[in-house]
Amino acid sequence: MALIEVENLTKVFRNFKRKEGLAGAVVNLFHRDYEAVRAVDGISFEIEPGELVGYIGPNGAGKSTTIKMLTGILVPTSGRVEVGGFIPHRQRHSYTQTIGVVFGQRTQLWWDIAVIESFKLLRKVYRVPGALFEQRLKQFRRLLELDPLLPMPVRKLSLGQRMRCDLVASLLHNPRVLFLDEPTIGLDVVARLHIRQFLGRINRQLGTTMILTTHDLAEIEKLCRRVLIIDRGRLLYDGLLEGLRQRYSCDRRIIFQLAERAALEELRHSLQADGRVAWQQPEPYRLVATFRRNSIRPAEIIARVIQQAAVHDITIEEPSIEEIVGRIYSEGTVD
């Protein structure tokens, strides 16, 4: 049975259309025009217990609005959302005891007190038994190297340090679901790597269900097998990351590093250029074959080349996830 059920979820905001200039300001005092903006437009999906799902889309696509409805911060305009048997916006007090939330731009820690004191306050808020609290904190201290940070006031932490502490704060009460909205925004490469490894380990070891929104698609590739892609409030894709590559007829490339100089013109006839492969030679010792997925087997191309030229190295390049997702954003559809 699905842990998260979303059906035809919609959120419409009523935005004030402000008129410009002095005359417009006077008109605004007596008459106001509004426009309806559909931030989320009838999306549906289900998430099973233990899944780690990537939720991606460009700025303004509706990701954060969806997360806020799933966490109970916003009330849907229409549709149904249920998480672990709770309707988030109706049962907020009981529901928030079962989830964890991390917003990359906000902290749930108290700014002027030591990190460990924030954790102790959260223990009381979530009514975590003392023995369980100490057990979980010990585990997180080791995984995230928190010991030097615990006596420090939150305001003295770097962004990466604060994010590590925020992750711990969101997990101390053992939530069934963890919502992560841009958790690594603004972090350096090392900090992102540590948080990525931590999330993967928590998902595997504790079975915590996670929904991750991020613009870092490398993060999605490393952590998530399944992705949801949203744009202009509409869900464009729901499925495996590898399935997204399979559905797109994106170009693949094979790069041959030649052991000795060979001219493409001399090789072209023997390479049997039949329209399925585009050949290029950007450098005397480098040969590039570009072809459409499923049009020809890479092994066939490689066999043609090594029969005609001495090859030092071979690299097969798949289309990057950035290319695929960028195409989806630009076209607004999935083939």
Side-chain angles (χ1 to χ4, degrees):
M1 182 177 176
L3 179 61
I4 300 175
E5 299 178 15
V6 173
E7 183 179 358
N8 294 323
L9 189 63
T10 299
K11 182 62 181 178
V12 179
F13 290 104
R14 190 165 171 255
N15 290 348
F16 170 47
K17 294 175 65 176
R18 187 180 299 276
K19 294 180 173 60
E20 297 181 359
L22 181 59
V26 173
V27 172
N28 289 332
L29 291 173
F30 300 98
H31 176 75
R32 295 193 170 194
D33 292 327
Y34 293 88
E35 62 177 348
V37 177
R38 285 181 172 263
V40 175
D41 191 3
I43 65 173
S44 300
F45 59 84
E46 293 185 350
I47 295 177
E48 300 295 324
E51 280 196 275
L52 200 171
V53 179
Y55 192 42
I56 59 178
N59 288 329
K63 304 186 301 297
S64 294
T65 301
T66 306
I67 295 298
K68 288 174 182 177
M69 287 189 284
L70 289 173
T71 54
I73 296 172
L74 289 178
V75 178
T77 302
S78 62
R80 183 177 73 90
V81 55
E82 188 171 316
V83 183
F86 293 96
I87 298 174
H89 64 279
R90 292 182 184 169
Q91 301 163 286
R92 284 195 64 184
H93 180 72
S94 301
Y95 173 61
T96 53
Q97 302 289 317
T98 69
I99 65 169
V101 182
V102 176
F103 290 102
Q105 299 290 353
R106 299 179 182 90
T107 183
Q108 57 187 308
L109 305 171
W110 282 263
W111 199 244
D112 291 312
I113 65 175
V115 171
I116 187 62
E117 297 304 324
S118 283
F119 289 165
K120 289 178 179 178
L121 284 171
L122 287 169
R123 180 184 81 80
K124 294 181 179 179
V125 169
Y126 289 109
R127 302 187 183 120
V128 181
L132 182 59
F133 170 79
E134 293 297 338
Q135 176 188 341
R136 294 182 68 79
L137 183 58
K138 180 179 178 181
Q139 178 185 23
F140 296 145
R141 284 165 61 177
R142 176 175 50 82
L143 290 176
L144 288 173
E145 301 176 356
L146 291 182
D147 282 355
L149 308 181
L150 294 179
M152 295 175 60
V154 173
R155 57 185 166 78
K156 290 190 175 182
L157 301 179
S158 70
L159 181 59
Q161 291 170 335
R162 180 176 65 75
M163 190 52 60
R164 282 150 59 193
C165 295
D166 265 315
L167 281 171
V168 171
S170 68
L171 290 165
L172 283 172
H173 58 297
N174 194 24
R176 297 183 68 188
V177 186
L178 179 60
F179 297 97
L180 301 150
D181 191 13
E182 300 283 357
T184 59
I185 189 168
L187 301 187
D188 60 37
V189 174
V190 175
R192 286 202 303 269
L193 177 61
H194 286 162
I195 288 177
R196 184 188 304 157
Q197 291 173 338
F198 175 75
L199 292 174
R201 189 172 298 176
I202 293 300
N203 175 250
R204 291 190 302 271
Q205 294 180 356
L206 302 183
T208 306
T209 305
M210 299 182 186
I211 299 181
L212 168 66
T213 78
T214 179
H215 287 290
D216 185 351
L217 296 180
E219 212 163 80
I220 295 292
E221 284 193 283
K222 295 292 184 182
L223 285 172
C224 307
R225 291 183 66 247
R226 177 184 171 195
V227 291
L228 306 173
I229 300 179
I230 187 173
D231 191 20
R232 300 181 183 90
R234 296 191 175 189
L235 195 63
L236 302 182
Y237 180 80
D238 176 3
L240 298 180
L241 193 61
E242 184 56 33
L244 191 62
R245 283 199 175 100
Q246 295 292 337
R247 288 182 65 173
Y248 261 78
S249 300
C250 293
D251 290 341
R252 304 173 75 188
R253 297 201 309 167
I254 303 178
I255 302 172
F256 298 91
Q257 194 68 36
L258 305 179
E260 55 190 44
R261 185 185 294 266
L264 178 58
E265 289 74 18
E266 299 171 4
L267 296 172
R268 192 177 294 277
H269 177 70
S270 58
L271 292 176
Q272 304 174 26
D274 56 7
R276 290 183 297 171
V277 183
W279 297 95
Q280 294 177 303
Q281 191 172 23
E283 302 169 10
Y285 291 91
R286 194 162 176 256
L287 191 65
V288 180
T290 304
F291 60 100
R292 304 291 284 181
R293 181 183 291 274
N294 300 327
S295 65
I296 186 172
R297 292 182 302 113
E300 183 179 341
I301 299 172
I302 293 171
R304 292 182 188 181
V305 174
I306 62 177
Q307 288 173 4
Q308 303 300 324
V311 176
H312 178 70
D313 195 15
I314 299 172
T315 303
I316 299 178
E317 289 187 351
E318 295 283 352
S320 69
I321 191 65
E322 285 87 354
E323 291 178 277
I324 295 172
V325 173
R327 181 179 167 192
I328 293 173
Y329 291 166
S330 63
E331 296 181 2
T333 185
V334 178
D335 292 340

